[in-house]
PDB file of all heavy atoms in Angstrom:
ATOM      1  N   SER A  20       9.850   6.084  -0.454  1.00 97.00           N
ATOM      2  CA  SER A  20       8.809   4.934  -0.360  1.00 97.00           C
ATOM      3  C   SER A  20       9.257   3.992   0.688  1.00 97.00           C
ATOM      4  O   SER A  20      10.360   3.514   0.682  1.00 97.00           O
ATOM      5  CB  SER A  20       8.837   4.353  -1.641  1.00 97.00           C
ATOM      6  OG  SER A  20       7.937   3.216  -1.762  1.00 97.00           O
ATOM      7  N   LEU A  21       8.450   3.698   1.546  1.00 96.00           N
ATOM      8  CA  LEU A  21       8.813   2.745   2.735  1.00 96.00           C
ATOM      9  C   LEU A  21       8.823   1.274   2.139  1.00 96.00           C
ATOM     10  O   LEU A  21       8.266   1.077   1.076  1.00 96.00           O
ATOM     11  CB  LEU A  21       7.681   2.923   3.852  1.00 96.00           C
ATOM     12  CG  LEU A  21       7.957   3.919   4.978  1.00 96.00           C
ATOM     13  CD1 LEU A  21       8.132   5.236   4.368  1.00 96.00           C
ATOM     14  CD2 LEU A  21       6.934   3.812   5.931  1.00 96.00           C
ATOM     15  N   PRO A  22       9.398   0.447   2.894  1.00 96.00           N
ATOM     16  CA  PRO A  22       9.471  -0.849   2.503  1.00 96.00           C
ATOM     17  C   PRO A  22       8.311  -1.721   2.409  1.00 96.00           C
ATOM     18  O   PRO A  22       7.199  -1.361   3.095  1.00 96.00           O
ATOM     19  CB  PRO A  22      10.445  -1.597   3.602  1.00 96.00           C
ATOM     20  CG  PRO A  22      10.555  -0.692   4.675  1.00 96.00           C
ATOM     21  CD  PRO A  22      10.034   0.661   4.266  1.00 96.00           C
ATOM     22  N   ASN A  23       8.226  -2.869   1.698  1.00 95.00           N
ATOM     23  CA  ASN A  23       7.087  -3.729   1.551  1.00 95.00           C
ATOM     24  C   ASN A  23       7.362  -4.994   2.392  1.00 95.00           C
ATOM     25  O   ASN A  23       8.009  -5.822   1.907  1.00 95.00           O
ATOM     26  CB  ASN A  23       6.955  -4.117  -0.012  1.00 95.00           C
ATOM     27  CG  ASN A  23       5.825  -4.967  -0.258  1.00 95.00           C
ATOM     28  OD1 ASN A  23       5.141  -5.445   0.649  1.00 95.00           O
ATOM     29  ND2 ASN A  23       5.706  -5.403  -1.577  1.00 95.00           N
ATOM     30  N   THR A  24       6.731  -4.953   3.569  1.00 93.00           N
ATOM     31  CA  THR A  24       6.702  -6.138   4.427  1.00 93.00           C
ATOM     32  C   THR A  24       8.065  -6.656   4.684  1.00 93.00           C
ATOM     33  O   THR A  24       8.337  -7.816   4.772  1.00 93.00           O
ATOM     34  CB  THR A  24       5.888  -7.270   3.749  1.00 93.00           C
ATOM     35  OG1 THR A  24       4.649  -6.745   3.269  1.00 93.00           O
ATOM     36  CG2 THR A  24       5.392  -8.293   4.886  1.00 93.00           C
ATOM     37  N   THR A  25       8.992  -5.650   4.960  1.00 94.00           N
ATOM     38  CA  THR A  25      10.344  -6.039   5.372  1.00 94.00           C
ATOM     39  C   THR A  25      10.905  -4.816   6.187  1.00 94.00           C
ATOM     40  O   THR A  25      10.218  -3.892   6.483  1.00 94.00           O
ATOM     41  CB  THR A  25      11.199  -6.377   4.153  1.00 94.00           C
ATOM     42  OG1 THR A  25      12.441  -6.891   4.515  1.00 94.00           O
ATOM     43  CG2 THR A  25      11.387  -5.145   3.194  1.00 94.00           C
ATOM     44  N   SER A  26      12.231  -4.751   6.220  1.00 95.00           N
ATOM     45  CA  SER A  26      12.859  -3.601   6.738  1.00 95.00           C
ATOM     46  C   SER A  26      13.925  -3.036   5.675  1.00 95.00           C
ATOM     47  O   SER A  26      14.413  -3.737   4.774  1.00 95.00           O
ATOM     48  CB  SER A  26      13.805  -3.974   8.025  1.00 95.00           C
ATOM     49  OG  SER A  26      14.760  -4.897   7.746  1.00 95.00           O
ATOM     50  N   ALA A  27      14.166  -1.711   5.821  1.00 96.00           N
ATOM     51  CA  ALA A  27      15.073  -1.030   4.967  1.00 96.00           C
ATOM     52  C   ALA A  27      15.877  -0.157   5.856  1.00 96.00           C
ATOM     53  O   ALA A  27      15.410   0.574   6.655  1.00 96.00           O
ATOM     54  CB  ALA A  27      14.378  -0.270   3.853  1.00 96.00           C
ATOM     55  N   SER A  28      17.201  -0.083   5.502  1.00 96.00           N
ATOM     56  CA  SER A  28      18.120   0.831   6.303  1.00 96.00           C
ATOM     57  C   SER A  28      18.661   1.924   5.328  1.00 96.00           C
ATOM     58  O   SER A  28      18.892   1.807   4.218  1.00 96.00           O
ATOM     59  CB  SER A  28      19.277  -0.058   6.784  1.00 96.00           C
ATOM     60  OG  SER A  28      18.797  -1.041   7.631  1.00 96.00           O
ATOM     61  N   TYR A  29      18.804   3.065   6.016  1.00 96.00           N
ATOM     62  CA  TYR A  29      19.267   4.345   5.396  1.00 96.00           C
ATOM     63  C   TYR A  29      20.390   4.929   6.137  1.00 96.00           C
ATOM     64  O   TYR A  29      20.231   5.247   7.455  1.00 96.00           O
ATOM     65  CB  TYR A  29      18.094   5.274   5.200  1.00 96.00           C
ATOM     66  CG  TYR A  29      16.863   4.659   4.761  1.00 96.00           C
ATOM     67  CD1 TYR A  29      15.878   4.085   5.546  1.00 96.00           C
ATOM     68  CD2 TYR A  29      16.711   4.537   3.317  1.00 96.00           C
ATOM     69  CE1 TYR A  29      14.803   3.558   5.071  1.00 96.00           C
ATOM     70  CE2 TYR A  29      15.537   3.939   2.790  1.00 96.00           C
ATOM     71  CZ  TYR A  29      14.537   3.378   3.720  1.00 96.00           C
ATOM     72  OH  TYR A  29      13.500   2.765   3.233  1.00 96.00           O
ATOM     73  N   ALA A  30      21.488   5.165   5.604  1.00 95.00           N
ATOM     74  CA  ALA A  30      22.610   5.710   6.204  1.00 95.00           C
ATOM     75  C   ALA A  30      22.283   7.160   6.813  1.00 95.00           C
ATOM     76  O   ALA A  30      21.701   7.953   5.924  1.00 95.00           O
ATOM     77  CB  ALA A  30      23.863   5.774   5.308  1.00 95.00           C
ATOM     78  N   HIS A  31      22.656   7.484   8.083  1.00 94.00           N
ATOM     79  CA  HIS A  31      22.424   8.871   8.546  1.00 94.00           C
ATOM     80  C   HIS A  31      23.718   9.678   8.435  1.00 94.00           C
ATOM     81  O   HIS A  31      23.592  10.921   8.708  1.00 94.00           O
ATOM     82  CB  HIS A  31      21.836   8.888   9.863  1.00 94.00           C
ATOM     83  CG  HIS A  31      22.546   8.053  10.923  1.00 94.00           C
ATOM     84  ND1 HIS A  31      23.932   8.225  11.168  1.00 94.00           N
ATOM     85  CD2 HIS A  31      22.175   7.073  11.726  1.00 94.00           C
ATOM     86  CE1 HIS A  31      24.203   7.405  12.160  1.00 94.00           C
ATOM     87  NE2 HIS A  31      23.245   6.647  12.490  1.00 94.00           N
ATOM     88  N   SER A  32      24.784   9.162   8.138  1.00 94.00           N
ATOM     89  CA  SER A  32      26.011   9.888   7.847  1.00 94.00           C
ATOM     90  C   SER A  32      26.495  10.634   9.105  1.00 94.00           C
ATOM     91  O   SER A  32      27.060  11.778   8.850  1.00 94.00           O
ATOM     92  CB  SER A  32      25.946  10.736   6.667  1.00 94.00           C
ATOM     93  OG  SER A  32      25.500   9.998   5.488  1.00 94.00           O
ATOM     94  N   VAL A  33      26.208  10.262  10.275  1.00 93.00           N
ATOM     95  CA  VAL A  33      26.699  10.944  11.523  1.00 93.00           C
ATOM     96  C   VAL A  33      27.769  10.089  12.114  1.00 93.00           C
ATOM     97  O   VAL A  33      27.695   8.893  12.210  1.00 93.00           O
ATOM     98  CB  VAL A  33      25.478  11.006  12.516  1.00 93.00           C
ATOM     99  CG1 VAL A  33      25.953  11.610  13.888  1.00 93.00           C
ATOM    100  CG2 VAL A  33      24.261  11.733  11.971  1.00 93.00           C
ATOM    101  N   SER A  34      28.752  10.806  12.506  1.00 92.00           N
ATOM    102  CA  SER A  34      29.924  10.168  13.161  1.00 92.00           C
ATOM    103  C   SER A  34      30.089  10.503  14.604  1.00 92.00           C
ATOM    104  O   SER A  34      29.479  11.567  14.932  1.00 92.00           O
ATOM    105  CB  SER A  34      31.243  10.421  12.437  1.00 92.00           C
ATOM    106  OG  SER A  34      31.414  11.834  12.327  1.00 92.00           O
ATOM    107  N   ASN A  35      30.795   9.814  15.455  1.00 93.00           N
ATOM    108  CA  ASN A  35      31.083  10.125  16.754  1.00 93.00           C
ATOM    109  C   ASN A  35      29.824  10.242  17.673  1.00 93.00           C
ATOM    110  O   ASN A  35      29.720  11.127  18.492  1.00 93.00           O
ATOM    111  CB  ASN A  35      31.868  11.318  16.896  1.00 93.00           C
ATOM    112  CG  ASN A  35      33.274  11.193  16.141  1.00 93.00           C
ATOM    113  OD1 ASN A  35      33.797  10.121  16.229  1.00 93.00           O
ATOM    114  ND2 ASN A  35      33.555  12.150  15.379  1.00 93.00           N
ATOM    115  N   ILE A  36      28.885   9.426  17.544  1.00 94.00           N
ATOM    116  CA  ILE A  36      27.653   9.418  18.295  1.00 94.00           C
ATOM    117  C   ILE A  36      27.954   8.863  19.716  1.00 94.00           C
ATOM    118  O   ILE A  36      28.534   7.757  19.794  1.00 94.00           O
ATOM    119  CB  ILE A  36      26.524   8.646  17.722  1.00 94.00           C
ATOM    120  CG1 ILE A  36      25.981   9.197  16.468  1.00 94.00           C
ATOM    121  CG2 ILE A  36      25.302   8.438  18.630  1.00 94.00           C
ATOM    122  CD1 ILE A  36      24.946   8.497  15.651  1.00 94.00           C
ATOM    123  N   ALA A  37      27.602   9.587  20.747  1.00 94.00           N
ATOM    124  CA  ALA A  37      27.854   9.106  22.097  1.00 94.00           C
ATOM    125  C   ALA A  37      26.549   8.426  22.568  1.00 94.00           C
ATOM    126  O   ALA A  37      26.621   7.318  23.007  1.00 94.00           O
ATOM    127  CB  ALA A  37      28.166  10.320  23.080  1.00 94.00           C
ATOM    128  N   TYR A  38      25.449   9.111  22.446  1.00 94.00           N
ATOM    129  CA  TYR A  38      24.162   8.556  22.828  1.00 94.00           C
ATOM    130  C   TYR A  38      22.965   8.993  21.836  1.00 94.00           C
ATOM    131  O   TYR A  38      22.925  10.036  21.409  1.00 94.00           O
ATOM    132  CB  TYR A  38      23.697   9.129  24.182  1.00 94.00           C
ATOM    133  CG  TYR A  38      24.625   8.725  25.350  1.00 94.00           C
ATOM    134  CD1 TYR A  38      25.526   9.665  25.861  1.00 94.00           C
ATOM    135  CD2 TYR A  38      24.532   7.471  25.908  1.00 94.00           C
ATOM    136  CE1 TYR A  38      26.367   9.256  26.815  1.00 94.00           C
ATOM    137  CE2 TYR A  38      25.457   7.099  26.920  1.00 94.00           C
ATOM    138  CZ  TYR A  38      26.356   7.983  27.401  1.00 94.00           C
ATOM    139  OH  TYR A  38      27.202   7.645  28.441  1.00 94.00           O
ATOM    140  N   THR A  39      22.261   7.895  21.547  1.00 94.00           N
ATOM    141  CA  THR A  39      21.074   8.097  20.769  1.00 94.00           C
ATOM    142  C   THR A  39      19.913   8.383  21.720  1.00 94.00           C
ATOM    143  O   THR A  39      19.570   7.500  22.510  1.00 94.00           O
ATOM    144  CB  THR A  39      20.741   6.946  19.780  1.00 94.00           C
ATOM    145  OG1 THR A  39      21.818   6.741  18.945  1.00 94.00           O
ATOM    146  CG2 THR A  39      19.440   7.180  19.032  1.00 94.00           C
ATOM    147  N   LEU A  40      19.317   9.491  21.689  1.00 95.00           N
ATOM    148  CA  LEU A  40      18.226   9.827  22.631  1.00 95.00           C
ATOM    149  C   LEU A  40      16.879   9.613  22.088  1.00 95.00           C
ATOM    150  O   LEU A  40      15.943   9.325  22.954  1.00 95.00           O
ATOM    151  CB  LEU A  40      18.382  11.401  23.023  1.00 95.00           C
ATOM    152  CG  LEU A  40      19.663  11.750  23.525  1.00 95.00           C
ATOM    153  CD1 LEU A  40      19.906  13.251  23.607  1.00 95.00           C
ATOM    154  CD2 LEU A  40      20.099  11.049  24.781  1.00 95.00           C
ATOM    155  N   LYS A  41      16.603   9.746  20.754  1.00 96.00           N
ATOM    156  CA  LYS A  41      15.312   9.561  20.279  1.00 96.00           C
ATOM    157  C   LYS A  41      15.380   9.274  18.762  1.00 96.00           C
ATOM    158  O   LYS A  41      16.175   9.845  18.099  1.00 96.00           O
ATOM    159  CB  LYS A  41      14.458  10.756  20.377  1.00 96.00           C
ATOM    160  CG  LYS A  41      13.070  10.642  20.089  1.00 96.00           C
ATOM    161  CD  LYS A  41      12.332  11.971  20.254  1.00 96.00           C
ATOM    162  CE  LYS A  41      11.751  12.125  21.617  1.00 96.00           C
ATOM    163  NZ  LYS A  41      10.895  13.416  21.694  1.00 96.00           N
ATOM    164  N   VAL A  42      14.532   8.247  18.274  1.00 97.00           N
ATOM    165  CA  VAL A  42      14.349   8.073  16.884  1.00 97.00           C
ATOM    166  C   VAL A  42      12.847   8.042  16.578  1.00 97.00           C
ATOM    167  O   VAL A  42      12.091   7.402  17.248  1.00 97.00           O
ATOM    168  CB  VAL A  42      15.000   6.689  16.482  1.00 97.00           C
ATOM    169  CG1 VAL A  42      14.791   6.426  14.993  1.00 97.00           C
ATOM    170  CG2 VAL A  42      16.449   6.518  16.885  1.00 97.00           C
ATOM    171  N   TYR A  43      12.486   8.910  15.610  1.00 97.00           N
ATOM    172  CA  TYR A  43      11.053   9.039  15.293  1.00 97.00           C
ATOM    173  C   TYR A  43      10.958   9.557  13.904  1.00 97.00           C
ATOM    174  O   TYR A  43      11.885   9.782  13.170  1.00 97.00           O
ATOM    175  CB  TYR A  43      10.413  10.012  16.309  1.00 97.00           C
ATOM    176  CG  TYR A  43      10.972  11.440  16.275  1.00 97.00           C
ATOM    177  CD1 TYR A  43      10.432  12.353  15.612  1.00 97.00           C
ATOM    178  CD2 TYR A  43      12.125  11.632  16.992  1.00 97.00           C
ATOM    179  CE1 TYR A  43      11.023  13.587  15.551  1.00 97.00           C
ATOM    180  CE2 TYR A  43      12.673  12.870  17.012  1.00 97.00           C
ATOM    181  CZ  TYR A  43      12.206  13.836  16.269  1.00 97.00           C
ATOM    182  OH  TYR A  43      12.713  15.193  16.275  1.00 97.00           O
ATOM    183  N   GLY A  44       9.632   9.614  13.473  1.00 97.00           N
ATOM    184  CA  GLY A  44       9.389  10.137  12.155  1.00 97.00           C
ATOM    185  C   GLY A  44       7.878  10.297  11.846  1.00 97.00           C
ATOM    186  O   GLY A  44       7.113  10.249  12.852  1.00 97.00           O
ATOM    187  N   GLN A  45       7.585  10.479  10.638  1.00 97.00           N
ATOM    188  CA  GLN A  45       6.379  10.653  10.155  1.00 97.00           C
ATOM    189  C   GLN A  45       6.124  10.218   8.739  1.00 97.00           C
ATOM    190  O   GLN A  45       7.065  10.425   7.944  1.00 97.00           O
ATOM    191  CB  GLN A  45       5.844  12.111  10.198  1.00 97.00           C
ATOM    192  CG  GLN A  45       4.434  12.432   9.912  1.00 97.00           C
ATOM    193  CD  GLN A  45       4.072  13.916  10.128  1.00 97.00           C
ATOM    194  OE1 GLN A  45       4.907  14.738  10.342  1.00 97.00           O
ATOM    195  NE2 GLN A  45       2.773  14.186  10.242  1.00 97.00           N
ATOM    196  N   THR A  46       5.024   9.640   8.322  1.00 96.00           N
ATOM    197  CA  THR A  46       4.803   9.165   6.990  1.00 96.00           C
ATOM    198  C   THR A  46       3.584   9.980   6.453  1.00 96.00           C
ATOM    199  O   THR A  46       2.777  10.549   7.182  1.00 96.00           O
ATOM    200  CB  THR A  46       4.430   7.693   6.910  1.00 96.00           C
ATOM    201  OG1 THR A  46       3.283   7.345   7.657  1.00 96.00           O
ATOM    202  CG2 THR A  46       5.585   6.933   7.522  1.00 96.00           C
ATOM    203  N   TYR A  47       3.518   9.918   5.124  1.00 96.00           N
ATOM    204  CA  TYR A  47       2.360  10.609   4.395  1.00 96.00           C
ATOM    205  C   TYR A  47       2.057   9.889   3.144  1.00 96.00           C
ATOM    206  O   TYR A  47       2.977   9.455   2.455  1.00 96.00           O
ATOM    207  CB  TYR A  47       2.797  12.058   4.044  1.00 96.00           C
ATOM    208  CG  TYR A  47       1.815  12.766   3.366  1.00 96.00           C
ATOM    209  CD1 TYR A  47       0.640  13.150   4.013  1.00 96.00           C
ATOM    210  CD2 TYR A  47       2.021  13.335   2.003  1.00 96.00           C
ATOM    211  CE1 TYR A  47      -0.287  13.994   3.381  1.00 96.00           C
ATOM    212  CE2 TYR A  47       1.013  14.021   1.424  1.00 96.00           C
ATOM    213  CZ  TYR A  47      -0.164  14.334   2.051  1.00 96.00           C
ATOM    214  OH  TYR A  47      -1.068  15.126   1.390  1.00 96.00           O
ATOM    215  N   ASP A  48       0.750   9.663   2.924  1.00 94.00           N
ATOM    216  CA  ASP A  48       0.257   8.940   1.759  1.00 94.00           C
ATOM    217  C   ASP A  48      -0.519   9.834   0.826  1.00 94.00           C
ATOM    218  O   ASP A  48      -1.137   9.365  -0.076  1.00 94.00           O
ATOM    219  CB  ASP A  48      -0.484   7.717   2.127  1.00 94.00           C
ATOM    220  CG  ASP A  48      -1.808   8.106   2.907  1.00 94.00           C
ATOM    221  OD1 ASP A  48      -2.155   9.258   2.969  1.00 94.00           O
ATOM    222  OD2 ASP A  48      -2.561   7.172   3.248  1.00 94.00           O
ATOM    223  N   GLY A  49      -0.411  11.101   1.039  1.00 93.00           N
ATOM    224  CA  GLY A  49      -1.192  11.971   0.172  1.00 93.00           C
ATOM    225  C   GLY A  49      -2.514  12.529   0.830  1.00 93.00           C
ATOM    226  O   GLY A  49      -3.103  13.587   0.449  1.00 93.00           O
ATOM    227  N   THR A  50      -3.007  11.733   1.911  1.00 95.00           N
ATOM    228  CA  THR A  50      -4.107  12.154   2.666  1.00 95.00           C
ATOM    229  C   THR A  50      -3.744  12.180   4.162  1.00 95.00           C
ATOM    230  O   THR A  50      -4.141  13.149   4.795  1.00 95.00           O
ATOM    231  CB  THR A  50      -5.171  11.146   2.413  1.00 95.00           C
ATOM    232  OG1 THR A  50      -5.502  11.076   0.982  1.00 95.00           O
ATOM    233  CG2 THR A  50      -6.553  11.547   3.215  1.00 95.00           C
ATOM    234  N   TYR A  51      -3.213  11.120   4.667  1.00 92.00           N
ATOM    235  CA  TYR A  51      -2.956  10.951   6.139  1.00 92.00           C
ATOM    236  C   TYR A  51      -1.531  11.117   6.478  1.00 92.00           C
ATOM    237  O   TYR A  51      -0.612  10.608   5.833  1.00 92.00           O
ATOM    238  CB  TYR A  51      -3.445   9.615   6.543  1.00 92.00           C
ATOM    239  CG  TYR A  51      -4.933   9.407   6.414  1.00 92.00           C
ATOM    240  CD1 TYR A  51      -5.296   8.569   5.260  1.00 92.00           C
ATOM    241  CD2 TYR A  51      -5.844   9.998   7.139  1.00 92.00           C
ATOM    242  CE1 TYR A  51      -6.736   8.440   5.044  1.00 92.00           C
ATOM    243  CE2 TYR A  51      -7.166   9.771   6.900  1.00 92.00           C
ATOM    244  CZ  TYR A  51      -7.674   9.028   6.001  1.00 92.00           C
ATOM    245  OH  TYR A  51      -8.980   8.823   5.719  1.00 92.00           O
ATOM    246  N   TYR A  52      -1.282  11.812   7.553  1.00 94.00           N
ATOM    247  CA  TYR A  52       0.029  11.839   8.175  1.00 94.00           C
ATOM    248  C   TYR A  52      -0.052  10.914   9.343  1.00 94.00           C
ATOM    249  O   TYR A  52      -0.974  10.936  10.161  1.00 94.00           O
ATOM    250  CB  TYR A  52       0.319  13.257   8.748  1.00 94.00           C
ATOM    251  CG  TYR A  52       0.495  14.292   7.631  1.00 94.00           C
ATOM    252  CD1 TYR A  52      -0.547  15.065   7.183  1.00 94.00           C
ATOM    253  CD2 TYR A  52       1.824  14.523   7.034  1.00 94.00           C
ATOM    254  CE1 TYR A  52      -0.371  16.006   6.123  1.00 94.00           C
ATOM    255  CE2 TYR A  52       1.908  15.380   6.071  1.00 94.00           C
ATOM    256  CZ  TYR A  52       0.874  16.167   5.641  1.00 94.00           C
ATOM    257  OH  TYR A  52       1.102  17.085   4.605  1.00 94.00           O
ATOM    258  N   ARG A  53       0.968  10.134   9.477  1.00 91.00           N
ATOM    259  CA  ARG A  53       1.073   9.158  10.571  1.00 91.00           C
ATOM    260  C   ARG A  53       2.327   9.255  11.424  1.00 91.00           C
ATOM    261  O   ARG A  53       3.480   9.299  10.669  1.00 91.00           O
ATOM    262  CB  ARG A  53       0.971   7.740  10.005  1.00 91.00           C
ATOM    263  CG  ARG A  53      -0.298   7.340   9.474  1.00 91.00           C
ATOM    264  CD  ARG A  53      -0.250   5.927   8.793  1.00 91.00           C
ATOM    265  NE  ARG A  53      -1.468   5.514   8.144  1.00 91.00           N
ATOM    266  CZ  ARG A  53      -1.711   5.920   6.831  1.00 91.00           C
ATOM    267  NH1 ARG A  53      -0.818   6.687   6.093  1.00 91.00           N
ATOM    268  NH2 ARG A  53      -2.825   5.544   6.307  1.00 91.00           N
ATOM    269  N   PRO A  54       2.372   9.329  12.699  1.00 94.00           N
ATOM    270  CA  PRO A  54       3.569   9.293  13.436  1.00 94.00           C
ATOM    271  C   PRO A  54       4.190   7.934  13.343  1.00 94.00           C
ATOM    272  O   PRO A  54       3.583   6.975  13.263  1.00 94.00           O
ATOM    273  CB  PRO A  54       3.157   9.671  14.850  1.00 94.00           C
ATOM    274  CG  PRO A  54       1.823   9.066  14.916  1.00 94.00           C
ATOM    275  CD  PRO A  54       1.177   9.223  13.496  1.00 94.00           C
ATOM    276  N   VAL A  55       5.600   8.004  13.613  1.00 95.00           N
ATOM    277  CA  VAL A  55       6.372   6.687  13.593  1.00 95.00           C
ATOM    278  C   VAL A  55       7.236   6.793  14.714  1.00 95.00           C
ATOM    279  O   VAL A  55       7.993   7.747  14.886  1.00 95.00           O
ATOM    280  CB  VAL A  55       7.215   6.445  12.229  1.00 95.00           C
ATOM    281  CG1 VAL A  55       7.969   5.259  12.335  1.00 95.00           C
ATOM    282  CG2 VAL A  55       6.304   6.393  11.026  1.00 95.00           C
ATOM    283  N   PRO A  56       7.154   5.755  15.600  1.00 93.00           N
ATOM    284  CA  PRO A  56       6.495   4.480  15.476  1.00 93.00           C
ATOM    285  C   PRO A  56       4.996   4.725  15.387  1.00 93.00           C
ATOM    286  O   PRO A  56       4.295   5.461  16.036  1.00 93.00           O
ATOM    287  CB  PRO A  56       6.953   3.676  16.664  1.00 93.00           C
ATOM    288  CG  PRO A  56       7.585   4.507  17.559  1.00 93.00           C
ATOM    289  CD  PRO A  56       7.899   5.828  16.895  1.00 93.00           C
ATOM    290  N   PHE A  57       4.351   3.762  14.590  1.00 91.00           N
ATOM    291  CA  PHE A  57       2.856   3.798  14.405  1.00 91.00           C
ATOM    292  C   PHE A  57       2.321   2.402  14.845  1.00 91.00           C
ATOM    293  O   PHE A  57       2.742   1.438  14.267  1.00 91.00           O
ATOM    294  CB  PHE A  57       2.613   4.050  12.968  1.00 91.00           C
ATOM    295  CG  PHE A  57       1.081   4.002  12.599  1.00 91.00           C
ATOM    296  CD1 PHE A  57       0.233   5.034  13.054  1.00 91.00           C
ATOM    297  CD2 PHE A  57       0.599   2.933  11.884  1.00 91.00           C
ATOM    298  CE1 PHE A  57      -1.087   5.030  12.753  1.00 91.00           C
ATOM    299  CE2 PHE A  57      -0.792   2.938  11.541  1.00 91.00           C
ATOM    300  CZ  PHE A  57      -1.604   3.940  11.935  1.00 91.00           C
TER     301      PHE A  57
END
């Protein structure tokens, strides 16, 4: 469940990151798929 008019952080449990190249996602509400950022 995404946040309600705020931000929420989730640990990704990755260590030793040199470069972050891309961050993206997708949401679903039972009908629509939305790309993120949206």
Side-chain angles (χ1 to χ4, degrees):
S20 179
L21 271 59
N23 179 1
T24 319
T25 189
S26 64
S28 297
Y29 311 93
H31 53 58
S32 304
V33 176
S34 58
N35 302 315
I36 294 177
Y38 296 101
T39 299
L40 305 172
K41 190 185 266 188
V42 181
Y43 59 96
Q45 184 172 18
T46 65
Y47 181 64
D48 65 3
T50 302
Y51 298 103
Y52 292 92
R53 293 174 185 84
V55 176
F57 176 73

